[in-house]
Amino acid sequence: MSRGLPRYVLRRLLYSAAVLWLVSTLVFVFLHVSPVPVERVIGGPRATAETLAQIRANLGLDQPVLVQYWRFVGRLLSGDLGDSYISGTPVSALIAERLPTTLWLVFGAGVLWFAGGVGLGVFSASRARTLWDRAATAFVLVGLSTPPFVVALALLYVFATRLEESGVHLFEAGPPMQEHFLRRMVLPWAALAFLMLASYTRLTRGAMLDVLGEDYVRTARAKGLPERRVVLRHGLRPALAPVVTQAGIDLGALVGSTIVTEKVFGLQGVGQLVHQSIATGDTPVIIGVTLTVTLFVIAANLLVDIGYSVLDPRVRLG
């Protein structure tokens, strides 16, 4: 690890703060250029002009734009994301209620696609241009070409319909809480992981082929080291660097991109919350989720950048 790590982390934190400020400013602009007036969303189509004016005054929308902006920034700094236009519930409470479901979905799927994608990619790269490699490539093409909702519906049809009709019940044994959790989450995990599994297989295979062609790998083979040791010890570690980088980005971004999976399987997560908020024009919830997802993406990128030099000793933080 480089001696310049503290300075690097400080620079990244300042950069992250700048990104959060930029995103918050953009969502503030989005709030004011929305084609549907805020007071109309809250008051409804039958609200009178006096009612609409009172709503604008209560929200501070009758103030100059700069005053509204500074109030908006001040609330964000204090952790106040505002209240939902529809339910009147604080946005932070709505997100806190839905976020654990989405995090479990993303984390479980991430474990599946990372372990499966890395394993299959290493297997394919170590057997390049063989029948096994062609089979893995075909799987990647199918996985990348299949829409997520098709995979989700197929899994529902096979496991939740056909098997149940045949008298086969998944996870029949075990404590009730464990059984309920597995029955609820295992199919969403598989559906969300399928597409990413194919992508990570391709990414790992390409990285492994590049590393296995390096001079130090050829030297290790020339010394008579077992192929398994050459692949796993000398090839896998540096090859994992771009894979881990991509994983950090995907895990952060998926926090707000699970709408299809949550919709198909009926999970009450952040994705469903965004879908419902867009349908009803609940702008504060949309903005709150956007800022939350941005925070997750920034945090994931920061952790990945710090861990990059651990995986690849050739990388040094300046």
Side-chain angles (χ1 to χ4, degrees), residues 187-212:
L187 292 183
W189 283 340
L192 187 60
F194 182 77
L195 177 62
M196 307 300 294
L197 175 65
S199 177
Y200 277 71
T201 300
R202 182 182 64 174
L203 181 61
T204 305
R205 179 183 181 276
M208 281 294 296
L209 288 177
D210 290 340
V211 173
L212 292 178

Side-chain angles (χ1 to χ4, degrees), residues 134-159:
R134 294 188 180 94
T137 303
F139 166 76
V140 169
L141 291 176
V142 172
L144 293 176
S145 305
T146 305
F149 73 90
V150 173
V151 178
L153 293 176
L155 289 173
L156 275 178
Y157 176 76
V158 173
F159 290 97

Side-chain angles (χ1 to χ4, degrees), residues 229-288:
R229 184 177 181 183
V230 171
V231 172
L232 296 181
R233 183 171 181 178
H234 297 282
L236 180 58
R237 183 173 177 178
L240 276 180
V243 181
V244 171
T245 301
Q246 188 62 41
I249 297 173
D250 289 338
L251 286 173
L254 273 178
V255 172
S257 306
T258 57
I259 297 177
V260 174
T261 304
E262 292 181 2
K263 185 71 174 178
V264 172
F265 292 99
L267 299 176
Q268 298 300 314
V270 173
Q272 277 278 60
L273 180 62
V274 171
H275 180 266
Q276 296 166 0
S277 302
I278 292 175
T280 58
D282 202 347
T283 307
V285 178
I286 300 174
I287 292 175

Side-chain angles (χ1 to χ4, degrees), residues 127-178:
R127 292 162 177 80
R129 292 176 292 277
T130 65
L131 181 61
W132 293 108
D133 184 29
R134 294 188 180 94
T137 303
F139 166 76
V140 169
L141 291 176
V142 172
L144 293 176
S145 305
T146 305
F149 73 90
V150 173
V151 178
L153 293 176
L155 289 173
L156 275 178
Y157 176 76
V158 173
F159 290 97
T161 304
R162 301 297 295 177
L163 290 182
E164 293 288 344
E165 291 176 356
S166 303
V168 178
H169 300 278
L170 295 178
F171 311 106
E172 195 166 8
M177 290 295 291
Q178 178 183 357

Side-chain angles (χ1 to χ4, degrees), residues 4-113:
L5 179 59
R7 295 178 59 187
Y8 174 78
V9 172
L10 178 60
R11 288 200 305 269
R12 291 292 297 173
L13 288 174
L14 293 175
Y15 169 78
S16 301
V19 172
L20 279 175
W21 170 79
L22 178 60
V23 172
S24 64
T25 302
L26 289 177
V27 296
F28 175 81
V29 173
F30 165 76
L31 176 64
H32 284 268
V33 300
S34 175
V36 181
V38 172
E39 61 272 20
R40 181 63 65 182
V41 174
I42 300 176
R46 297 184 179 181
T48 63
E50 291 78 9
T51 301
L52 296 178
Q54 184 62 44
I55 293 174
R56 290 185 59 85
N58 292 339
L59 295 177
L61 298 178
D62 55 345
Q63 300 294 323
V65 175
L66 287 179
V67 174
Q68 296 182 47
Y69 176 73
W70 288 117
R71 287 180 177 177
F72 173 75
V73 173
R75 290 198 303 270
L76 290 183
L77 292 176
S78 63
D80 182 7
L81 298 175
D83 298 331
S84 167
Y85 289 161
I86 306 302
S87 64
T89 306
V91 175
S92 56
L94 291 174
I95 296 176
E97 180 184 358
R98 302 291 191 97
L99 191 58
T101 300
T102 299
L103 291 180
W104 271 114
L105 175 60
V106 173
F107 177 77
V111 171
L112 289 179
W113 87 56

